[in-house]
Amino acid sequence: MDQDVAEDLVFEVASGIGRVTFNRPQARNAFTFEMYERLAEICEQANSNQAIKVLVLRGAGDKAFASGTDINQFRAFTTPQDAVDYENRIDRVLTTLEQCRVPTIAAINGFCTGGGAGIAAACDLRIGTRSARIGFPIARTLGNCLSMSNVSRLAALVGPARVKDLIFTARLVEAAEAAAIGLLTEVVDDLAALDGRADEVARLLAGHAPLTLNATKQAVARLQKRLTREEGEDLIVMCYVSEDFREGLDAFLNKRAPQWRGR
């Protein structure tokens, strides 16, 4: 494993609990492509290692759970296939997380946006602090779009109307509302309480019947109809290959407001 990835995404196992820490606090724990792949590897490890009973995901520092994909990862995009490959990667990683054999808990403090919010939505439980802010602000930042799998997963969690509300308004949902609409399963006061509560829930689940938990995860997944990746590729290409996406990327990196043109 590459040393930089090991430092950016820390994985430790103790007493049956696997703890995954997104460790780029200087970048609000924004994900590189290598970090996505490492997260998938950890889920596969949990699938094969019966000693791992539960996974807890958290962000380092006190500012963010994860703020999505590091914008610099997009600078090399030049073809429609680059966009399709990127969203296919995200679909694959988040599906691996969602289908992980063991229960997964997202411990959310501060910003949880874009791909970070996608990771949280793919977890089984989401515990957040009162300072948690969750959303998909892509309509005011980059002008890209979610994949069909991500839209399906989010719609199953909060409903189609809420998906439109979240993405159309590009707002970040505060903790109380997030709990009310299903983005959070529980709210605690602060970061110290979050760490304690996440560990408490993890220990509880680690002591429960693993086949019951796994069967319940699979049953819920079978209830949710998903469209294929291919059914959404035209939408991905439309957004990522657009002039607007390039404008959004340049505006974000230069800290200015984007000028959308719809093409």
Side-chain angles (χ1 to χ4, degrees):
M1 179 174 54
D2 186 273
Q3 184 63 31
D4 290 340
V5 180
E7 294 173 353
D8 289 345
L9 201 155
V10 179
F11 181 50
E12 303 169 315
V13 180
S15 302
I17 300 172
R19 293 178 174 84
V20 182
T21 302
F22 312 142
N23 193 34
R24 298 184 73 214
Q26 76 284 358
R28 290 188 174 180
N29 300 318
F31 261 59
T32 63
F33 291 163
E34 291 78 11
M35 289 171 67
Y36 280 116
E37 295 300 338
R38 178 58 181 147
L39 179 58
E41 289 175 3
I42 290 169
C43 292
E44 295 290 2
Q45 183 176 340
N47 288 340
S48 61
N49 185 353
Q50 295 295 318
I52 299 176
K53 306 297 184 182
V54 60
L55 291 178
V56 178
L57 283 61
R58 67 183 300 276
D62 60 359
K63 301 298 184 184
F65 172 75
S67 59
T69 302
D70 190 317
I71 300 302
N72 289 304
Q73 303 290 293
F74 296 123
R75 302 180 84 167
F77 282 21
T78 58
T79 69
Q81 193 60 45
D82 289 331
V84 171
D85 289 346
Y86 165 72
E87 285 295 345
N88 284 347
R89 181 201 298 266
I90 302 304
D91 278 352
R92 173 174 50 78
V93 171
L94 295 193
T95 297
T96 301
L97 172 61
E98 183 179 40
Q99 295 178 353
C100 186
R101 176 185 62 85
V102 303
T104 53
I105 302 169
I108 303 169
N109 181 66
F111 291 99
C112 176
T113 56
I119 289 171
C123 288
D124 298 309
L125 301 176
R126 289 160 300 282
I127 304 171
T129 65
R130 297 192 186 282
S131 67
R133 299 292 182 268
I134 306 173
F136 299 85
I138 52 179
R140 64 173 167 80
T141 54
L142 295 186
N144 56 335
C145 65
L146 301 184
S147 69
M148 293 306 306
S149 292
N150 279 331
V151 171
S152 296
R153 185 179 295 110
L154 194 57
L157 191 62
V158 302
R162 291 286 187 189
V163 174
K164 292 179 182 177
D165 172 43
L166 291 172
I167 295 179
F168 284 12
T169 63
R171 65 195 178 90
L172 301 186
V173 178
E174 297 187 0
E177 183 184 359
I181 67 176
L183 283 175
L184 288 176
T185 49
E186 185 176 347
V187 179
V188 297
D189 286 334
D190 53 28
L191 186 56
L194 176 65
D195 289 338
R197 181 56 178 159
D199 279 355
E200 181 182 15
V201 173
R203 290 194 299 271
L204 175 70
L205 300 187
H208 287 170
L211 294 182
T212 299
L213 303 183
N214 190 13
T216 301
K217 289 185 65 163
Q218 291 194 46
V220 171
R222 293 179 189 184
L223 287 173
Q224 300 171 3
K225 175 177 172 55
R226 297 287 173 83
L227 296 178
T228 66
R229 295 173 182 172
E230 291 76 14
E231 288 175 286
E233 284 187 358
D234 60 320
L235 305 179
I236 292 169
V237 170
M238 178 180 71
C239 290
Y240 279 90
V241 184
S242 67
E243 294 177 17
D244 272 358
F245 180 70
R246 287 293 165 189
E247 165 64 11
L249 182 60
D250 184 75
F252 188 95
L253 293 173
N254 289 287
K255 296 181 171 54
R256 62 175 177 80
Q259 301 297 313
W260 307 119
R261 294 182 173 81
R263 61 177 187 265

